[in-house]
């Protein structure tokens, strides 16, 4: 992306872009953001789906960079048939703590936001408040941060607003640790992040912080929430998801990096009578609780119904290592393949499993 501080789009013919600018203006009166535009438009073969990302500097409650995307919503004339929503209906924001002596916003959050955009544009799957995903490693590559997951919540300073092209919501991307993500899965994104907010004001991402659940009192508070309400994680986004019929059964293909999440979430959902849907760019697989074990095609993909016995068998058999794992009595075989991690230039940096 190229920095463009002097030629930021806006004005006639850009009502969606103007709506984003108008939302930010009261927060940063008189501040000219650093704007990073896309060199080659996505529609002309470029790799970056977003038209641009603006970065503001905020001083309170602690100095941080506030990244805001342009491109998930309809920036120009209305093109979609959905009059109620502008494009995908949201833009993403991200708040990053300013390092000592830092006067330029880091580039890696822009790569992160563009990667999220590639997923949405390729799959059509949209992010919503409460969603979360595994980053398959540090959210900033080549760092030793404990933040390895992303959660999505409404930006606390940018309420949803009506625009000429439809409704627009600002979703903030938040970096969280392994322990914090485990708590989110056991309870809910909203419950956990609201409890963490006093220790993480405005949910500013700080690569150098420790897990907030190192505090036993806070960990106990979140555990009580989970026991009281159960898990609200209904959808799990993954990079690798496929299946094929084989003999009398079905082979489900998952990446090794995602298997621990699936195994952890299944009992938290199914044992409480709720399904778990696994979604990739092109596929959708639902695990559902039931009296009998069965796998069958449905309109949107595949559904695997598991009894309590079938669920226990799956958990006993499947491992987060490359291989084939038959689940006796269910007609299901889980095939685990390596998960490949890539950088912004699409180079392989690590393989899991």
């Amino acid at each position: 992306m190229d920095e463009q501080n002097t030629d930021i789009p806006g004005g006639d013919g850009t009502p969606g872009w103007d709506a984003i600018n108008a939302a930010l203006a009261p927060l940063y009166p008189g501040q000219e953001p650093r704007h990073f535009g896309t060199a080659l438009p996505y529609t002309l073969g470029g790799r970056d789906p977003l038209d641009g990302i603006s970065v503001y500097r905020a001083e309170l409650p602690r100095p941080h960079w506030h990244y805001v995307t342009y491109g998930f919503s309809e920036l120009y004339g209305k093109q979609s048939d959905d009059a109620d929503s502008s494009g995908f209906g949201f833009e993403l924001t991200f708040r990053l703590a300013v390092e000592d002596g830092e006067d330029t916003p880091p580039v890696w959050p822009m790569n992160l936001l563009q990667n999220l955009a590639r997923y949405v544009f390729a799959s059509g799957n949209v992010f919503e408040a409460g969603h979360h995903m595994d980053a398959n490693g540090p959210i900033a590559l080549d760092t030793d941060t404990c933040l390895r997951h992303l959660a999505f919540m409404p930006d606390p300073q940018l309420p949803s607003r009506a625009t000429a092209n439809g409704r627009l919501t600002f979703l903030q991307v938040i970096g969280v640790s392994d322990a914090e993500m485990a708590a989110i899965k056991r309870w809910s994104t909203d419950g956990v992040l609201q409890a963490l907010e006093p220790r993480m004001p405005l949910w500013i991402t700080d690569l150098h912080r420790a897990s907030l659940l190192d505090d036993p009192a806070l960990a106990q508070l979140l555990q009580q929430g989970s026991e009281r309400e159960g898990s609200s994680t209904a959808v799990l986004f993954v990079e690798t998801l496929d299946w094929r019929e084989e003999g009398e059964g079905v082979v489900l293909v998952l990446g090794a990096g995602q298997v621990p999440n699936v195994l952890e979430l299944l009992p938290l959902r199914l044992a409480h009578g709720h399904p778990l849907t696994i979604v990739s760019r092109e596929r959708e697989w639902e695990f559902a609780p039931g009296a009998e074990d069965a796998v069958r095609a449905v309109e949107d993909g595949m559904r695997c119904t598991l009894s309590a016995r079938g669920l226990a068998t799956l958990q006993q058999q499947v491992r987060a290592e490359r291989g084939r794992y038959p689940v006796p009595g269910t007609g299901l075989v889980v095939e685990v393949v390596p998960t490949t991690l890539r950088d912004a230039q699409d180079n392989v940096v690590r393989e899991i499993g």
Side-chain angles (χ1 to χ4, degrees):
M1 301 186 73
D2 296 330
E3 186 171 1
Q4 305 170 342
N5 278 335
T6 59
D7 187 22
I8 301 174
D12 293 342
T14 60
W17 200 296
D18 296 342
I20 300 172
N21 291 343
L24 274 297
L27 279 183
Y28 304 105
Q31 182 177 155
E32 186 73 21
R34 292 177 179 268
H35 184 76
F36 296 81
T38 301
L40 180 63
Y42 191 66
T43 54
L44 297 180
R47 293 190 68 250
D48 296 332
L50 300 176
D51 286 37
I53 297 172
S54 284
V55 190
Y56 294 82
R57 178 169 174 137
E59 299 303 324
L60 297 174
R62 61 179 295 188
H64 66 276
W65 303 110
H66 193 186
Y67 297 75
V68 183
T69 67
Y70 291 74
F72 288 102
S73 62
E74 292 172 286
L75 303 176
Y76 311 105
K78 182 67 179 176
Q79 295 181 328
S80 70
D81 296 330
D82 186 354
D84 296 330
S85 180
S86 176
F88 290 110
F90 66 91
E91 293 291 350
L92 293 179
T93 73
F94 182 75
R95 298 174 188 268
L96 178 67
V98 173
E99 302 273 359
D100 290 341
E102 187 176 66
D103 57 8
T104 301
V107 172
W108 71 262
M110 293 179 240
N111 294 329
L112 171 66
L113 294 169
Q114 288 285 8
N115 281 335
L116 294 174
R118 291 184 193 105
Y119 168 80
V120 172
F121 276 71
S123 68
N125 298 321
V126 300
F127 296 118
E128 297 179 4
H131 283 179
H132 52 76
M133 65 191 307
D134 186 352
N136 291 321
I139 63 171
L141 293 177
D142 302 323
T143 68
D144 60 357
T145 181
C146 73
L147 307 182
R148 304 169 64 88
H149 307 266
L150 302 173
F152 299 81
M153 287 285 285
D155 188 299
Q157 292 186 322
L158 294 173
S160 177
R161 61 194 292 122
T163 77
N165 292 330
R167 200 74 187 167
L168 172 61
T169 297
F170 293 93
L171 287 179
Q172 184 169 325
V173 183
I174 304 160
V176 296
S177 70
D178 288 341
E180 293 156 5
M181 180 52 64
I184 285 173
K185 292 172 183 175
R186 288 192 298 266
W187 185 13
S188 71
T189 304
D190 182 73
V192 170
L193 286 177
Q194 293 294 352
L196 297 183
E197 202 275 341
R199 313 281 184 91
M200 188 170 48
L202 291 185
W203 298 313
I204 296 168
T205 294
D206 181 352
L207 293 179
H208 305 294
R209 74 172 177 85
S211 173
L212 297 179
L213 296 196
D214 289 347
D215 179 347
L218 188 54
Q220 182 179 16
L221 177 65
L222 301 190
Q223 180 62 32
Q224 291 171 345
S226 174
E227 293 173 353
R228 182 176 64 250
E229 301 176 12
S231 173
S232 66
T233 303
V235 179
L236 182 65
F237 295 97
V238 300
E239 286 293 325
T240 303
L241 173 64
D242 202 357
W243 60 79
R244 63 182 182 273
E245 293 185 9
E246 192 173 279
E248 296 294 322
V250 175
V251 177
L252 168 64
V253 182
L254 293 172
Q258 286 84 48
V259 168
N261 291 329
V262 174
L263 294 179
E264 181 179 29
L265 275 178
L266 276 174
L268 296 173
R269 293 290 296 174
L270 272 59
H272 291 85
H274 304 301
L276 173 67
T277 302
I278 304 175
V279 177
S280 71
R281 297 186 181 206
E282 301 173 346
R283 296 280 208 167
E284 185 171 309
W285 177 286
E286 181 186 74
F287 283 105
E292 298 181 355
D293 302 313
V295 183
R296 64 185 179 89
V298 293
E299 182 178 355
D300 295 328
M302 294 288 285
R303 176 178 296 146
C304 177
T305 302
L306 291 175
S307 64
R309 186 178 197 177
L311 173 59
T313 303
L314 184 147
Q315 289 182 278
Q316 292 168 1
Q317 295 296 115
V318 180
R319 298 287 180 269
E321 300 173 0
R322 181 188 329 210
R324 286 170 58 91
Y325 301 92
V327 185
T330 66
L332 177 67
V333 174
V334 179
E335 181 179 323
V336 178
V337 299
T339 296
T340 301
L341 306 183
R342 299 178 181 272
D343 60 19
Q345 287 71 47
D346 206 35
N347 300 311
V348 176
V349 295
R350 189 158 66 95
E351 190 176 83
I352 300 174

